[in-house]
Amino acid sequence: MVYSQAQADPFESKNLSQMYGGVSLMDFEQLKTFQLVSRLKSFSRAAEKLGVTQPAISAQIRSLENEVGARLFDREGGRVTFTAAGRLFEPFAEHCLQCHSHILAGVSELYQSPRGEISVSTSEATSLYVLPAVFGQFKKLYSRVHLSIVRSERSRTLEAVFSREVDFGIVSLPVKDSRLLIHSIHKDEVVLVTSPTHHLAERESVKLDEILQYPLLMMKHGRQREKINHFFHSRDVQPRVAMELDSSELLKRLIGAGIGMGFLPHTNVRADESAGLLRTMKVDGMRIHRELALIFRKDKTLTRAAHAFLEVATNGAKTVPQPIRVKSRAG
């Protein structure tokens, strides 16, 4: 039960006053009431929302104003607006309540099973061909955690991780940034892909000079394109690039339609290959691998849900940091 200053227990008030030099302490209920009044711009609506009387709301605000030493609201003609002091006080009240909520949630998580929400940013192809197995395993173990996937290209994923817009990112390696923790979660080979009707479709491997005779479809940007470019440049040859695309899914569909050959991670085309829709082969002398890593900020405090996801995604890697535990203090 929450008491206003007039209702507070005299003994408790006396002790608090002695502890803090005669200065009374604002409580979280007063801050919540202030926040609600500021959002609804009405004392009566705030009272209705909280299921209390309007005088009780007014008493809490008066008590808070006495402690702050200034009026926080102007009430004229039924309208409630901030005073200059109220406008200054509002963001501090919001921050204080957020801290209070985070503290309670953090302590609660020490004793409860993972719940809440986890957000992961990654590319279209990774979300389609690599993550379903990870997400499926995770949801079986932690059904109360909501997973949110944000599909973005690599540079945007890195930005989202740094700006704390998402909990985790999944990007291709290498990634070199001292602000990040990096855990490899997937590795496969980049292969040459053709339609089943292509002249080279029945081959298991081809020579470099053979593929130079046919048009290639390539991704515009990314680590994979950089590695392929390096392979051609190191052999001083120029491929016939017929089209550059932003989407690996579109690239795959156009290859299947017989427009040209292209390079894709084997994981992305394995199902199509099994269904007879695409063919894959190796290029003599070309060994290009795609390695994906789960990344997050070193200074990020992991919730139990986030820590559980990290364990599943990295298959229980020993390097996964343990969740922060609250130690009791002797008092």
Side-chain angles (χ1 to χ4, degrees):
M1 182 174 181
V2 178
Y3 296 92
S4 68
Q5 277 189 323
Q7 296 171 316
D9 181 85
F11 179 77
E12 182 178 340
S13 297
K14 182 179 178 181
N15 284 347
L16 287 174
S17 206
Q18 289 173 347
M19 287 174 63
Y20 294 94
V23 179
S24 60
L25 296 176
M26 67 185 72
D27 59 37
F28 290 111
E29 292 303 321
Q30 290 175 343
L31 295 179
K32 289 177 183 177
T33 299
F34 167 83
Q35 186 183 61
L36 190 59
V37 171
S38 69
R39 288 178 178 174
L40 299 178
K41 294 181 171 54
S42 169
F43 278 67
S44 58
R45 289 170 62 191
E48 183 180 348
K49 186 81 172 176
L50 293 175
V52 299
T53 64
Q54 184 171 331
I57 295 293
S58 298
Q60 286 209 16
I61 296 300
R62 280 198 304 272
S63 176
L64 186 58
E65 289 174 333
N66 288 337
E67 294 169 20
V68 172
R71 273 196 357 206
L72 301 174
F73 295 107
D74 278 328
R75 284 162 276 182
E76 294 182 3
R79 295 183 58 195
V80 176
T81 57
F82 278 137
T83 63
R87 193 173 297 106
L88 178 66
F89 183 73
E90 192 271 337
F92 291 99
E94 181 80 20
H95 177 70
C96 189
L97 289 172
Q98 285 180 354
C99 290
H100 178 246
S101 176
H102 291 164
I103 291 169
L104 294 181
V107 174
S108 176
E109 282 185 347
L110 293 175
Y111 309 103
Q112 297 179 5
S113 60
R115 64 183 68 193
E117 181 175 342
I118 296 171
S119 54
V120 182
S121 177
T122 191
S123 69
E124 176 187 41
T126 300
S127 64
L128 288 173
Y129 302 112
V130 177
L131 288 184
V134 175
F135 286 161
Q137 181 184 0
F138 181 79
K139 290 297 286 185
K140 286 180 182 178
L141 296 172
Y142 308 105
S143 59
R144 291 191 293 178
V145 179
H146 176 70
L147 288 169
S148 175
I149 307 174
V150 180
R151 292 196 291 182
S152 302
E153 47 88 21
R154 187 176 187 275
S155 61
R156 180 68 190 100
T157 290
L158 289 169
E159 290 176 8
V161 170
F162 287 132
S163 63
R164 303 179 191 274
E165 296 174 47
V166 296
D167 298 302
F168 299 104
I170 297 178
V171 296
S172 57
L173 292 176
V175 177
K176 296 181 181 180
D177 196 298
S178 60
R179 295 170 292 177
L180 296 174
L181 285 174
I182 301 166
H183 297 277
S184 177
I185 63 170
H186 178 83
K187 187 175 182 179
D188 61 353
E189 187 173 3
V190 175
V191 294
L192 181 65
V193 185
T194 72
S195 71
T197 59
H198 195 278
H199 292 95
L200 301 176
E202 300 305 318
R203 304 275 294 277
E204 291 187 3
S205 65
V206 296
K207 297 182 181 300
L208 177 60
D209 58 358
E210 290 181 290
I211 67 175
L212 296 177
Q213 302 173 30
Y214 298 96
L216 282 176
L217 310 181
M218 303 275 273
M219 292 295 294
K220 279 186 180 179
H221 309 289
R223 295 292 187 183
Q224 179 181 308
R225 176 64 186 271
E226 292 173 6
K227 291 178 179 179
I228 294 170
N229 285 346
H230 177 74
F231 171 77
F232 285 120
H233 292 163
S234 67
R235 284 153 180 81
D236 197 26
V237 296
Q238 187 69 32
R240 291 173 53 192
V241 180
M243 193 179 299
E244 294 181 310
L245 303 157
D246 289 319
S247 167
S248 61
E249 272 301 285
L250 180 56
L251 173 64
K252 185 171 74 170
R253 299 307 172 197
L254 293 180
I255 292 172
I259 295 177
M261 302 185 300
F263 295 96
L264 286 166
H266 202 181
T267 301
N268 296 21
V269 297
R270 189 170 285 123
D272 299 271
E273 185 180 20
S274 298
L277 301 176
L278 294 172
R279 291 298 307 272
T280 67
M281 62 203 71
K282 296 184 178 182
V283 178
D284 290 351
M286 176 184 275
R287 292 293 179 269
I288 297 177
H289 291 89
R290 186 269 305 262
E291 188 171 6
L292 299 174
L294 186 76
I295 62 170
F296 60 101
R297 291 177 60 117
K298 281 183 178 178
D299 60 359
K300 179 177 179 58
T301 300
L302 297 179
T303 64
R304 286 185 67 85
H307 187 269
F309 177 77
L310 191 54
E311 285 188 316
V312 171
T314 58
N315 198 25
K318 293 181 180 179
T319 52
V320 173
Q322 295 300 309
I324 294 176
R325 302 190 179 278
V326 178
K327 296 181 179 180
S328 61
R329 296 179 60 185

